[in-house]
Amino acid sequence: MATGRDEHRNPAAAKAGTGDAVAGQRNVMLLQGLMGPFFRKLGKGLIARGHKVFKVNFNGGDRAYWRLPNGIDYRGTLADWPDAFAGLLTKHQITDVILFGDCRDHHMGAVEICRARNVAIWVFEEGYIRPDWVTLENGGVNGHSLLSRDPEWYRARAADLPPLTQHQKVPSSFRTRAVQGLWYNVADVLTRWHYPGWQTHRPWHPLVEGVGWARKLMRRDERRQQGAQLLARLKEQKTGYFLFPLQLDSDAQIRLHSPFAGMIEAIKLVLQSFAEHAPPDVRLVVKEHPLDNGVRDWQLETADLAQRFGIADRVDYLAWGDIEAIAEEALGMVTVNSTSGTLALAKGVPVIVLGKAVYNVPDLTFQDDLSRFWTQASPPDSATFAAFRRVLIDKCLIPGGFFSEAALAKVVSHAIARFEGCPMVPD
């Protein structure tokens, strides 16, 4: 393991862990974040509050977006990472570890060590409730979350919580996300020589993923026009439809928290069940994930399967569009474990979950088989969902987003307040 240039230039970093921490100061280590500036902005905010912050960079993309003191380049292998990470915890007297997604290979090993040493773990993820919320949970998220699956627990807890203040929407930009992904992958490729032990959790070479993002950017206007036409047609014809939002094929929620090895298995199951059990006068809308990198042509794969099952004339593919608008009019939503499920629940739309999800709770989601969902779907209990939402916000949600300056500023301020045990700050 080699330390990064920033740590060599900061004498305080070399002395970290050799003395007692200042009262109230915590020694924080950031692992991997999103492909973008989020962890840099969070690090600056924590430093401004008097905390000592370290960041482990596993590749050139991580390093390019950090550019703050106490950057640590990990150049070893995944097999050597647990021992190296344990050494870093000791050397820098780390009190808290912050990461994005607890199912990445390097993160899973780190989480186990933190639990054994009673080091606090803070896990960021896309918000359990969408839009305009981000998940920040202690210990683990999604399938690893310690949240209850008992609806009565949520109702009882919510009864003791004060009402929420008004929550403001945050802006988001697909172009910002795509450009950040491109720059991250370019920096990764150009510095592979410096990180010989780096192994990404993503299944594609960075250049392949970069080309996918570039292709999506170039086709953005065309995809928007196609999406708008489909939405207009569904509204005009007033055709009943079910919604199936796709998830990222590389997402740990698919690989580790569902019975599927990838999205193609889930698409096949849903389309076959729809063909065999759905009423003949309803349609199925398959919605592409807004952050899909475009490497696989999911529209073509969906069309091929629909043709195989004899429902090509009843399946629509939505490559671009506002999921709130399309979900609101749906007869029901089928999801593996997407956070889009809570968006549908908030609108009173029936939801069935095919994997593990924190919101797969009786009184909220359909608890029977998918084959029956198409004809027997029932809406969620509104009071239970209100209680569920209130408890989640109290325990593990913060306002904001990742793909605009305003959204990032909001996430950082709320995350630091949650980290320091302060009440939620006003928007």
Side-chain angles (χ1 to χ4, degrees):
M1 183 182 68
T3 54
R5 175 179 55 193
D6 288 331
E7 183 173 271
H8 283 306
R9 291 184 176 180
N10 188 344
K15 296 179 181 179
T18 61
D20 294 333
V22 177
Q25 172 191 293
R26 286 144 78 174
N27 294 344
V28 184
M29 178 165 287
L30 305 180
L31 299 185
Q32 276 201 305
L34 283 168
M35 293 187 291
F38 170 47
F39 268 19
R40 170 181 167 82
K41 292 179 180 294
L42 178 62
K44 289 181 68 175
L46 289 167
I47 291 168
R49 293 288 297 171
H51 304 293
K52 189 175 291 293
V53 180
F54 302 86
K55 170 70 171 69
V56 178
N57 298 318
F58 296 92
N59 59 50
D62 291 346
R63 182 167 177 166
Y65 275 111
W66 179 242
R67 304 195 310 276
L68 290 175
N70 297 340
I72 302 169
D73 289 345
Y74 179 69
R75 304 179 63 201
T77 65
L78 179 62
D80 294 335
W81 165 243
D83 288 341
F85 176 69
L88 290 173
L89 292 182
T90 300
K91 176 183 178 182
H92 300 298
Q93 292 189 349
I94 299 301
T95 59
D96 300 81
V97 169
I98 301 176
L99 48 91
F100 188 96
D102 59 359
C103 291
R104 300 184 186 189
D105 293 336
H106 290 82
H107 289 174
M108 288 193 289
V111 166
E112 290 181 6
I113 293 170
C114 287
R115 286 174 178 157
R117 294 192 174 197
N118 291 320
V119 174
I121 308 160
W122 300 84
V123 184
F124 280 99
E125 258 291 359
E126 305 287 352
Y128 288 144
I129 292 179
R130 295 177 60 186
D132 309 322
W133 295 95
V134 165
T135 296
L136 176 57
E137 192 168 359
N138 288 115
V141 297
N142 297 304
H144 293 153
S145 173
L146 300 179
L147 289 169
S148 174
R149 302 300 192 270
D150 178 6
E152 185 54 43
W153 183 83
Y154 288 99
R155 290 190 285 260
R157 291 297 181 98
D160 295 331
L161 295 173
L164 285 173
T165 57
Q166 184 68 29
H167 175 55
Q168 303 297 322
K169 286 184 173 293
V170 297
S172 184
S173 166
F174 166 76
R175 186 178 187 279
T176 296
R177 175 65 180 91
V179 170
Q180 289 173 354
L182 281 170
W183 281 117
Y184 183 96
N185 286 319
V186 167
D188 178 8
V189 170
L190 294 179
T191 58
R192 282 290 174 99
W193 60 271
H194 186 66
Y195 299 91
W198 166 240
Q199 291 181 329
T200 178
H201 66 287
R202 306 175 73 83
W204 312 279
H205 189 279
L207 285 179
V208 174
E209 191 167 6
V211 169
W213 280 116
R215 185 164 56 237
K216 283 194 71 170
L217 279 171
M218 289 187 294
R219 295 186 57 208
R220 180 177 52 178
D221 291 341
E222 175 191 347
R223 290 158 58 85
R224 283 183 174 180
Q225 184 178 8
Q226 291 175 349
Q229 290 173 349
L230 173 59
L231 292 174
R233 176 165 58 82
L234 290 172
K235 185 176 183 179
E236 179 182 350
Q237 296 177 352
K238 298 182 179 180
T239 305
Y241 61 85
F242 287 87
L243 178 62
F244 176 35
L246 300 184
Q247 295 171 238
L248 300 179
D249 198 41
S250 63
D251 197 335
Q253 306 318 311
I254 302 298
R255 295 184 292 109
L256 299 179
H257 299 312
S258 87
F260 309 111
M263 276 309 300
I264 193 63
E265 293 182 8
I267 296 172
K268 181 179 179 181
L269 174 70
V270 172
L271 265 63
Q272 184 172 6
S273 178
F274 180 82
E276 295 174 353
H277 302 287
D281 59 339
V282 301
R283 305 184 68 82
L284 177 66
V285 177
V286 179
K287 170 73 169 63
E288 185 174 298
H289 194 286
L291 301 184
D292 185 83
N293 58 24
V295 173
R296 292 189 70 168
D297 190 337
W298 294 112
Q299 185 167 4
L300 179 60
E301 304 237 26
T302 299
D304 286 346
L305 286 169
Q307 184 71 36
R308 182 195 305 182
F309 296 129
I311 52 173
D313 60 337
R314 298 170 56 203
V315 175
D316 300 297
Y317 189 89
L318 184 61
W320 178 90
D322 181 4
I323 194 168
E324 285 193 78
I326 193 75
E328 191 167 15
E329 301 298 327
L331 299 172
M333 177 185 287
V334 180
T335 177
V336 178
N337 45 27
S338 170
T339 53
S340 297
T342 59
L343 186 152
L345 293 173
K347 297 180 178 298
V349 175
V351 173
I352 186 170
V353 176
L354 306 180
K356 297 178 181 178
V358 294
Y359 59 86
N360 193 16
V361 174
D363 295 344
L364 291 184
T365 57
F366 189 74
Q367 299 292 301
D368 208 333
D369 189 74
L370 176 61
S371 62
R372 298 183 179 88
F373 181 72
W374 310 109
T375 55
Q376 301 176 24
S378 56
D381 178 74
S382 59
T384 301
F385 180 77
F388 173 81
R389 181 179 183 273
R390 181 65 188 90
V391 173
L392 253 62
I393 291 172
D394 180 67
K395 288 188 168 294
C396 56
L397 293 184
I398 54 177
F402 298 119
F403 305 122
S404 71
E405 289 297 320
L408 280 175
K410 184 175 289 191
V411 165
V412 169
S413 64
H414 283 273
I416 293 174
R418 179 69 58 88
F419 179 79
E420 294 182 339
C422 301
M424 185 179 290
V425 295
D427 281 355

Coordinates of all heavy atoms in Angstrom, one line a residue, residues 276-353:
E276 N -48.8 -14.8 -19.3 CA -49.6 -16.0 -18.8 C -50.7 -15.6 -17.9 O -51.7 -16.3 -17.9 CB -48.7 -17.0 -18.1 CG -47.6 -17.6 -19.1 CD -46.7 -18.5 -18.3 OE1 -46.7 -18.6 -17.1 OE2 -45.8 -19.2 -19.0
H277 N -50.6 -14.5 -17.2 CA -51.6 -14.2 -16.1 C -52.3 -12.8 -16.2 O -53.3 -12.7 -15.5 CB -50.9 -14.4 -14.8 CG -50.3 -15.7 -14.6 ND1 -51.1 -16.8 -14.3 CD2 -49.0 -16.1 -14.5 CE1 -50.3 -17.9 -14.2 NE2 -49.0 -17.5 -14.3
A278 N -51.7 -11.9 -16.9 CA -52.3 -10.5 -16.9 C -53.6 -10.5 -17.8 O -53.6 -11.2 -18.8 CB -51.3 -9.5 -17.4
P279 N -54.6 -9.7 -17.5 CA -55.7 -9.6 -18.4 C -55.3 -9.1 -19.8 O -54.3 -8.3 -19.9 CB -56.6 -8.5 -17.7 CG -56.2 -8.6 -16.3 CD -54.7 -8.9 -16.3
P280 N -56.0 -9.6 -20.8 CA -55.5 -9.3 -22.2 C -55.7 -7.8 -22.6 O -55.1 -7.4 -23.6 CB -56.4 -10.2 -23.1 CG -57.6 -10.5 -22.2 CD -57.1 -10.5 -20.8
D281 N -56.4 -7.0 -21.9 CA -56.7 -5.7 -22.3 C -55.8 -4.7 -21.5 O -56.0 -3.5 -21.6 CB -58.1 -5.3 -22.0 CG -58.5 -5.4 -20.5 OD1 -57.8 -6.2 -19.8 OD2 -59.5 -4.8 -20.1
V282 N -54.7 -5.1 -20.8 CA -53.8 -4.2 -20.2 C -52.4 -4.3 -20.8 O -52.1 -5.3 -21.5 CB -53.7 -4.5 -18.6 CG1 -55.1 -4.3 -18.0 CG2 -53.1 -5.9 -18.4
R283 N -51.6 -3.3 -20.6 CA -50.3 -3.3 -21.1 C -49.2 -3.3 -20.0 O -49.5 -3.1 -18.8 CB -50.1 -2.0 -22.0 CG -51.1 -1.8 -23.1 CD -50.9 -0.6 -23.9 NE -49.6 -0.7 -24.7 CZ -49.6 -1.4 -25.9 NH1 -50.7 -2.0 -26.3 NH2 -48.5 -1.5 -26.6
L284 N -48.0 -3.5 -20.4 CA -46.8 -3.5 -19.5 C -45.8 -2.4 -20.0 O -45.4 -2.5 -21.2 CB -46.2 -4.8 -19.4 CG -44.9 -4.9 -18.5 CD1 -45.3 -4.7 -17.1 CD2 -44.2 -6.3 -18.7
V285 N -45.5 -1.5 -19.2 CA -44.5 -0.5 -19.5 C -43.2 -0.8 -18.8 O -43.2 -0.8 -17.6 CB -45.0 1.0 -19.2 CG1 -43.9 2.0 -19.5 CG2 -46.3 1.3 -19.9
V286 N -42.2 -1.0 -19.6 CA -40.8 -1.3 -19.0 C -40.0 0.0 -19.0 O -39.8 0.6 -20.1 CB -40.1 -2.4 -19.8 CG1 -38.7 -2.6 -19.2 CG2 -40.9 -3.7 -19.8
K287 N -39.6 0.5 -17.9 CA -39.0 1.8 -17.8 C -37.5 1.7 -17.5 O -37.1 1.0 -16.6 CB -39.6 2.6 -16.6 CG -38.9 3.9 -16.2 CD -39.1 5.0 -17.2 CE -38.5 6.3 -16.6 NZ -37.1 6.3 -16.4
E288 N -36.7 2.2 -18.4 CA -35.2 2.2 -18.3 C -34.8 3.0 -17.1 O -35.3 4.1 -16.8 CB -34.6 2.7 -19.5 CG -33.1 2.6 -19.6 CD -32.5 3.0 -20.9 OE1 -32.8 2.3 -21.9 OE2 -31.7 4.0 -20.9
H289 N -33.8 2.5 -16.4 CA -33.2 3.2 -15.2 C -32.5 4.5 -15.8 O -31.7 4.4 -16.7 CB -32.2 2.4 -14.5 CG -31.8 2.9 -13.1 ND1 -31.0 4.0 -13.0 CD2 -32.2 2.5 -11.9 CE1 -30.8 4.2 -11.7 NE2 -31.5 3.4 -11.0
P290 N -32.8 5.6 -15.1 CA -32.2 6.9 -15.7 C -30.7 6.9 -15.6 O -30.0 7.7 -16.3 CB -32.8 8.0 -14.7 CG -33.2 7.2 -13.5 CD -33.6 5.9 -14.0
L291 N -30.0 6.1 -14.8 CA -28.6 6.1 -14.7 C -27.9 4.9 -15.3 O -26.8 4.6 -15.1 CB -28.1 6.1 -13.2 CG -28.6 7.3 -12.4 CD1 -28.1 7.3 -11.0 CD2 -28.3 8.6 -13.1
D292 N -28.7 4.2 -16.2 CA -28.1 3.1 -16.9 C -27.1 3.6 -17.9 O -27.3 4.7 -18.5 CB -29.2 2.3 -17.7 CG -28.7 1.1 -18.4 OD1 -28.6 0.1 -17.7 OD2 -28.4 1.2 -19.6
N293 N -26.0 2.9 -18.0 CA -24.8 3.5 -18.8 C -25.0 3.2 -20.3 O -24.1 3.6 -21.0 CB -23.5 2.9 -18.3 CG -23.5 1.4 -18.3 OD1 -24.2 0.7 -19.1 ND2 -22.6 0.8 -17.5
G294 N -26.0 2.5 -20.7 CA -26.2 2.3 -22.1 C -25.3 1.2 -22.8 O -25.4 1.1 -24.0
V295 N -24.6 0.4 -22.0 CA -23.7 -0.6 -22.5 C -24.6 -1.7 -23.1 O -24.3 -2.2 -24.2 CB -22.8 -1.2 -21.5 CG1 -22.0 -2.4 -22.0 CG2 -21.8 -0.1 -21.0
R296 N -25.7 -2.1 -22.4 CA -26.6 -3.1 -23.0 C -27.8 -2.4 -23.5 O -28.3 -1.5 -22.9 CB -27.0 -4.1 -21.9 CG -25.8 -5.0 -21.4 CD -26.3 -6.1 -20.5 NE -27.1 -7.1 -21.2 CZ -27.4 -8.3 -20.7 NH1 -27.0 -8.6 -19.5 NH2 -28.2 -9.2 -21.4
D297 N -28.3 -3.0 -24.6 CA -29.5 -2.4 -25.2 C -30.7 -3.1 -24.6 O -31.2 -4.1 -25.1 CB -29.5 -2.6 -26.7 CG -30.6 -1.9 -27.5 OD1 -31.6 -1.5 -26.8 OD2 -30.4 -1.6 -28.7
W298 N -31.2 -2.5 -23.5 CA -32.4 -3.2 -22.8 C -33.7 -3.1 -23.6 O -34.5 -3.9 -23.5 CB -32.5 -2.5 -21.4 CG -31.4 -2.8 -20.5 CD1 -30.5 -1.8 -20.1 CD2 -31.0 -4.0 -20.0 NE1 -29.5 -2.5 -19.3 CE2 -29.8 -3.8 -19.2 CE3 -31.5 -5.3 -20.1 CZ2 -29.2 -4.8 -18.5 CZ3 -30.8 -6.3 -19.4 CH2 -29.7 -6.1 -18.6
Q299 N -33.8 -2.1 -24.5 CA -35.0 -2.0 -25.3 C -35.0 -3.1 -26.3 O -36.1 -3.7 -26.4 CB -35.0 -0.6 -26.1 CG -36.2 -0.4 -26.9 CD -36.4 1.0 -27.3 OE1 -35.5 1.8 -27.1 NE2 -37.5 1.3 -28.0
L300 N -33.9 -3.5 -26.9 CA -33.9 -4.6 -27.8 C -34.1 -5.9 -27.1 O -34.9 -6.8 -27.5 CB -32.5 -4.6 -28.5 CG -32.3 -5.8 -29.5 CD1 -33.4 -5.7 -30.6 CD2 -30.9 -5.7 -30.1
E301 N -33.5 -6.1 -25.9 CA -33.6 -7.3 -25.1 C -35.1 -7.5 -24.7 O -35.7 -8.6 -24.7 CB -32.7 -7.3 -23.9 CG -31.3 -7.1 -24.3 CD -30.4 -8.2 -23.7 OE1 -30.9 -9.3 -23.6 OE2 -29.2 -7.9 -23.5
T302 N -35.7 -6.4 -24.3 CA -37.1 -6.4 -23.9 C -38.0 -6.8 -25.1 O -39.0 -7.6 -25.0 CB -37.6 -5.1 -23.3 OG1 -36.8 -4.8 -22.1 CG2 -39.0 -5.1 -22.9
A303 N -37.8 -6.2 -26.2 CA -38.6 -6.5 -27.4 C -38.4 -7.9 -27.8 O -39.4 -8.6 -28.2 CB -38.1 -5.5 -28.5
D304 N -37.2 -8.5 -27.8 CA -37.0 -9.9 -28.1 C -37.8 -10.8 -27.2 O -38.4 -11.8 -27.7 CB -35.5 -10.2 -28.1 CG -34.7 -9.6 -29.2 OD1 -35.3 -9.1 -30.2 OD2 -33.5 -9.6 -29.1
L305 N -37.8 -10.5 -25.9 CA -38.5 -11.4 -25.0 C -40.0 -11.2 -25.2 O -40.8 -12.2 -25.1 CB -38.1 -11.1 -23.6 CG -36.7 -11.6 -23.1 CD1 -36.3 -11.0 -21.8 CD2 -36.7 -13.1 -23.1
A306 N -40.5 -10.0 -25.4 CA -41.9 -9.8 -25.6 C -42.4 -10.6 -26.9 O -43.5 -11.1 -26.9 CB -42.2 -8.3 -25.8
Q307 N -41.5 -10.6 -27.9 CA -41.9 -11.3 -29.1 C -41.9 -12.8 -28.8 O -42.9 -13.5 -29.3 CB -40.8 -11.0 -30.2 CG -41.1 -11.7 -31.5 CD -42.3 -11.0 -32.2 OE1 -42.4 -9.8 -32.1 NE2 -43.1 -11.8 -33.0
R308 N -41.0 -13.3 -28.0 CA -41.0 -14.7 -27.7 C -42.2 -15.2 -26.9 O -42.7 -16.3 -27.2 CB -39.7 -15.1 -26.9 CG -39.6 -16.5 -26.5 CD -38.6 -16.8 -25.4 NE -37.3 -16.3 -25.7 CZ -36.3 -16.4 -24.8 NH1 -36.4 -17.1 -23.7 NH2 -35.1 -15.9 -25.1
F309 N -42.7 -14.3 -26.0 CA -43.9 -14.7 -25.2 C -45.2 -14.2 -25.9 O -46.3 -14.4 -25.2 CB -43.7 -14.1 -23.8 CG -42.6 -14.6 -23.1 CD1 -41.7 -13.7 -22.5 CD2 -42.4 -16.0 -22.9 CE1 -40.6 -14.2 -21.7 CE2 -41.3 -16.4 -22.2 CZ -40.4 -15.6 -21.6
G310 N -45.1 -13.7 -27.1 CA -46.4 -13.4 -27.8 C -47.1 -12.2 -27.3 O -48.3 -12.0 -27.5
I311 N -46.3 -11.2 -26.7 CA -47.0 -10.0 -26.2 C -46.3 -8.7 -26.7 O -46.3 -7.7 -26.1 CB -46.9 -10.0 -24.6 CG1 -45.5 -10.2 -24.1 CG2 -47.9 -11.0 -24.0 CD1 -45.3 -10.1 -22.6
A312 N -45.7 -8.8 -27.9 CA -45.0 -7.7 -28.4 C -45.9 -6.5 -28.6 O -45.4 -5.3 -28.5 CB -44.3 -8.1 -29.8
D313 N -47.2 -6.7 -28.9 CA -48.1 -5.6 -29.1 C -48.7 -5.1 -27.8 O -49.5 -4.2 -27.8 CB -49.3 -6.1 -30.0 CG -50.0 -7.3 -29.4 OD1 -49.5 -8.0 -28.5 OD2 -51.2 -7.5 -29.8
R314 N -48.3 -5.6 -26.7 CA -48.8 -5.1 -25.4 C -47.7 -4.6 -24.4 O -47.9 -4.3 -23.3 CB -49.5 -6.3 -24.7 CG -50.8 -6.8 -25.4 CD -51.3 -8.0 -24.8 NE -51.6 -7.9 -23.4 CZ -51.7 -8.9 -22.5 NH1 -51.4 -10.1 -22.9 NH2 -52.0 -8.6 -21.3
V315 N -46.4 -4.6 -24.9 CA -45.3 -4.2 -24.1 C -44.7 -2.9 -24.7 O -44.4 -2.8 -25.9 CB -44.2 -5.3 -24.0 CG1 -43.0 -4.8 -23.2 CG2 -44.8 -6.5 -23.3
D316 N -44.6 -1.9 -23.9 CA -43.9 -0.6 -24.3 C -42.6 -0.4 -23.5 O -42.5 -0.8 -22.3 CB -44.9 0.6 -24.0 CG -46.2 0.5 -24.7 OD1 -46.2 0.5 -25.9 OD2 -47.2 0.3 -24.0
Y317 N -41.7 0.2 -24.1 CA -40.4 0.5 -23.5 C -40.2 2.0 -23.4 O -40.3 2.7 -24.4 CB -39.2 -0.1 -24.3 CG -37.9 0.0 -23.6 CD1 -37.5 -1.1 -22.7 CD2 -37.1 1.1 -23.7 CE1 -36.3 -1.0 -22.0 CE2 -35.9 1.1 -23.0 CZ -35.5 0.1 -22.2 OH -34.3 0.2 -21.5
L318 N -40.0 2.5 -22.2 CA -39.9 3.9 -21.9 C -38.4 4.2 -21.6 O -37.9 3.9 -20.5 CB -40.8 4.3 -20.7 CG -40.8 5.8 -20.4 CD1 -41.3 6.6 -21.6 CD2 -41.7 6.1 -19.2
A319 N -37.7 4.7 -22.6 CA -36.2 5.0 -22.4 C -36.0 6.2 -21.6 O -34.9 6.4 -21.0 CB -35.5 5.0 -23.8
W320 N -36.9 7.2 -21.7 CA -36.8 8.4 -20.9 C -38.1 8.9 -20.5 O -39.1 8.8 -21.3 CB -36.1 9.5 -21.9 CG -35.9 10.8 -21.2 CD1 -34.9 11.3 -20.5 CD2 -36.9 11.9 -21.2 NE1 -35.1 12.5 -20.0 CE2 -36.4 12.9 -20.5 CE3 -38.2 12.0 -21.8 CZ2 -37.0 14.1 -20.3 CZ3 -38.9 13.2 -21.6 CH2 -38.3 14.3 -20.8
G321 N -38.2 9.5 -19.4 CA -39.5 10.1 -18.9 C -39.5 10.2 -17.4 O -38.7 9.5 -16.7
D322 N -40.4 11.0 -16.9 CA -40.6 11.2 -15.5 C -41.4 10.0 -14.9 O -42.5 9.8 -15.2 CB -41.5 12.5 -15.3 CG -41.7 12.8 -13.8 OD1 -41.1 12.1 -13.0 OD2 -42.4 13.8 -13.6
I323 N -40.7 9.3 -14.0 CA -41.3 8.1 -13.5 C -42.4 8.4 -12.5 O -43.4 7.6 -12.4 CB -40.2 7.2 -12.7 CG1 -40.8 5.8 -12.4 CG2 -39.8 7.9 -11.4 CD1 -39.8 4.8 -12.0
E324 N -42.4 9.6 -12.0 CA -43.6 10.0 -11.1 C -44.9 10.1 -11.9 O -45.9 9.6 -11.5 CB -43.3 11.4 -10.5 CG -42.3 11.4 -9.4 CD -42.4 12.7 -8.6 OE1 -43.3 12.9 -7.8 OE2 -41.5 13.5 -8.8
A325 N -44.8 10.7 -13.1 CA -46.0 10.8 -14.0 C -46.5 9.4 -14.4 O -47.7 9.1 -14.4 CB -45.7 11.7 -15.2
I326 N -45.5 8.6 -14.8 CA -45.9 7.2 -15.4 C -46.4 6.3 -14.3 O -47.3 5.5 -14.4 CB -44.8 6.6 -16.2 CG1 -45.3 5.4 -17.0 CG2 -43.6 6.2 -15.3 CD1 -46.0 5.8 -18.2
A327 N -45.9 6.5 -13.1 CA -46.2 5.6 -11.9 C -47.6 6.0 -11.4 O -48.4 5.1 -11.0 CB -45.2 5.7 -10.8
E328 N -47.9 7.3 -11.4 CA -49.2 7.8 -10.8 C -50.4 7.1 -11.5 O -51.4 6.9 -10.8 CB -49.2 9.3 -11.0 CG -50.4 9.9 -10.1 CD -50.2 11.4 -10.0 OE1 -49.4 12.0 -10.8 OE2 -50.9 12.0 -9.2
E329 N -50.4 6.9 -12.8 CA -51.5 6.3 -13.5 C -51.5 4.8 -13.7 O -52.3 4.2 -14.3 CB -51.6 7.0 -14.9 CG -51.7 8.5 -14.8 CD -53.0 8.9 -14.1 OE1 -54.0 8.2 -14.2 OE2 -53.0 10.0 -13.5
A330 N -50.4 4.2 -13.1 CA -50.3 2.7 -13.3 C -51.3 1.9 -12.5 O -51.7 2.3 -11.4 CB -48.9 2.3 -12.9
L331 N -51.7 0.8 -13.0 CA -52.5 -0.2 -12.2 C -51.7 -0.8 -11.1 O -52.3 -1.3 -10.1 CB -53.0 -1.3 -13.2 CG -53.9 -0.8 -14.3 CD1 -54.2 -2.0 -15.3 CD2 -55.2 -0.2 -13.8
G332 N -50.4 -0.9 -11.3 CA -49.5 -1.5 -10.3 C -48.1 -1.4 -10.7 O -47.8 -1.2 -11.9
M333 N -47.2 -1.6 -9.8 CA -45.8 -1.6 -10.1 C -45.1 -2.9 -9.7 O -45.3 -3.4 -8.6 CB -45.0 -0.5 -9.4 CG -43.5 -0.5 -9.7 SD -42.6 0.8 -8.8 CE -43.1 2.3 -9.7
V334 N -44.4 -3.5 -10.6 CA -43.6 -4.7 -10.3 C -42.1 -4.3 -10.2 O -41.6 -3.6 -11.1 CB -43.7 -5.8 -11.4 CG1 -42.9 -7.0 -11.1 CG2 -45.2 -6.2 -11.6
T335 N -41.5 -4.6 -9.1 CA -40.1 -4.2 -9.0 C -39.3 -5.3 -8.3 O -39.8 -6.1 -7.5 CB -40.0 -2.9 -8.2 OG1 -38.6 -2.5 -8.0 CG2 -40.6 -3.0 -6.8
V336 N -38.0 -5.4 -8.6 CA -37.1 -6.3 -7.9 C -37.0 -5.8 -6.4 O -37.4 -6.4 -5.5 CB -35.8 -6.5 -8.6 CG1 -34.9 -7.4 -7.7 CG2 -36.0 -7.0 -10.0
N337 N -36.4 -4.6 -6.3 CA -36.3 -3.9 -5.0 C -35.9 -2.4 -5.2 O -35.3 -1.8 -4.4 CB -35.3 -4.6 -4.1 CG -34.0 -4.9 -4.8 OD1 -33.6 -4.3 -5.8 ND2 -33.3 -5.9 -4.3
S338 N -36.4 -1.9 -6.3 CA -36.1 -0.5 -6.7 C -36.7 0.5 -5.7 O -37.8 0.3 -5.2 CB -36.6 -0.1 -8.1 OG -36.5 1.2 -8.3
T339 N -36.0 1.6 -5.4 CA -36.6 2.6 -4.6 C -37.8 3.3 -5.2 O -38.5 4.0 -4.6 CB -35.5 3.7 -4.2 OG1 -34.9 4.2 -5.4 CG2 -34.5 3.1 -3.3
S340 N -38.0 3.1 -6.5 CA -39.2 3.5 -7.2 C -40.4 2.9 -6.6 O -41.5 3.5 -6.7 CB -39.2 3.1 -8.7 OG -38.1 3.7 -9.4
G341 N -40.3 1.8 -5.9 CA -41.4 1.2 -5.2 C -42.1 2.1 -4.2 O -43.3 2.2 -4.1
T342 N -41.2 2.9 -3.4 CA -41.8 3.8 -2.4 C -42.5 4.9 -3.1 O -43.5 5.5 -2.5 CB -40.8 4.3 -1.4 OG1 -39.7 4.9 -2.2 CG2 -40.1 3.1 -0.7
L343 N -42.0 5.3 -4.3 CA -42.7 6.4 -5.0 C -44.1 6.0 -5.4 O -45.1 6.7 -5.2 CB -41.9 6.7 -6.2 CG -42.3 7.9 -7.1 CD1 -41.1 8.5 -7.8 CD2 -43.3 7.5 -8.1
A344 N -44.2 4.7 -5.8 CA -45.6 4.2 -6.2 C -46.4 4.1 -5.0 O -47.6 4.4 -5.0 CB -45.4 2.9 -6.9
L345 N -45.9 3.6 -3.9 CA -46.7 3.4 -2.6 C -47.2 4.8 -2.2 O -48.3 4.9 -1.7 CB -45.8 2.8 -1.5 CG -45.4 1.3 -1.8 CD1 -44.4 0.9 -0.7 CD2 -46.6 0.4 -1.8
A346 N -46.4 5.8 -2.3 CA -46.8 7.2 -1.9 C -48.0 7.7 -2.7 O -48.8 8.5 -2.2 CB -45.6 8.1 -2.0
K347 N -48.1 7.2 -3.9 CA -49.3 7.6 -4.7 C -50.4 6.6 -4.6 O -51.4 6.7 -5.4 CB -48.8 7.7 -6.2 CG -47.7 8.8 -6.4 CD -47.2 8.8 -7.8 CE -46.2 10.0 -8.0 NZ -46.8 11.3 -7.6
G348 N -50.3 5.6 -3.7 CA -51.4 4.7 -3.5 C -51.5 3.6 -4.6 O -52.5 2.9 -4.8
V349 N -50.4 3.4 -5.3 CA -50.3 2.4 -6.4 C -49.9 1.0 -5.8 O -48.9 1.0 -5.0 CB -49.3 2.8 -7.5 CG1 -49.1 1.7 -8.5 CG2 -49.8 4.1 -8.1
P350 N -50.5 -0.1 -6.1 CA -50.1 -1.4 -5.7 C -48.7 -1.7 -6.1 O -48.3 -1.4 -7.3 CB -51.1 -2.3 -6.3 CG -52.3 -1.5 -6.6 CD -51.8 -0.1 -6.9
V351 N -47.9 -2.4 -5.3 CA -46.5 -2.7 -5.6 C -46.3 -4.2 -5.1 O -46.7 -4.6 -4.0 CB -45.5 -1.8 -4.8 CG1 -44.1 -2.3 -5.0 CG2 -45.7 -0.4 -5.3
I352 N -45.5 -4.9 -6.0 CA -45.0 -6.2 -5.6 C -43.5 -6.2 -5.7 O -43.0 -5.6 -6.6 CB -45.6 -7.4 -6.4 CG1 -45.2 -8.7 -5.9 CG2 -45.3 -7.2 -7.9 CD1 -45.9 -9.9 -6.5
V353 N -42.8 -6.8 -4.7 CA -41.4 -6.8 -4.6 C -40.9 -8.2 -4.9 O -41.4 -9.2 -4.3 CB -40.9 -6.3 -3.3 CG1 -39.4 -6.4 -3.2 CG2 -41.3 -4.9 -3.0

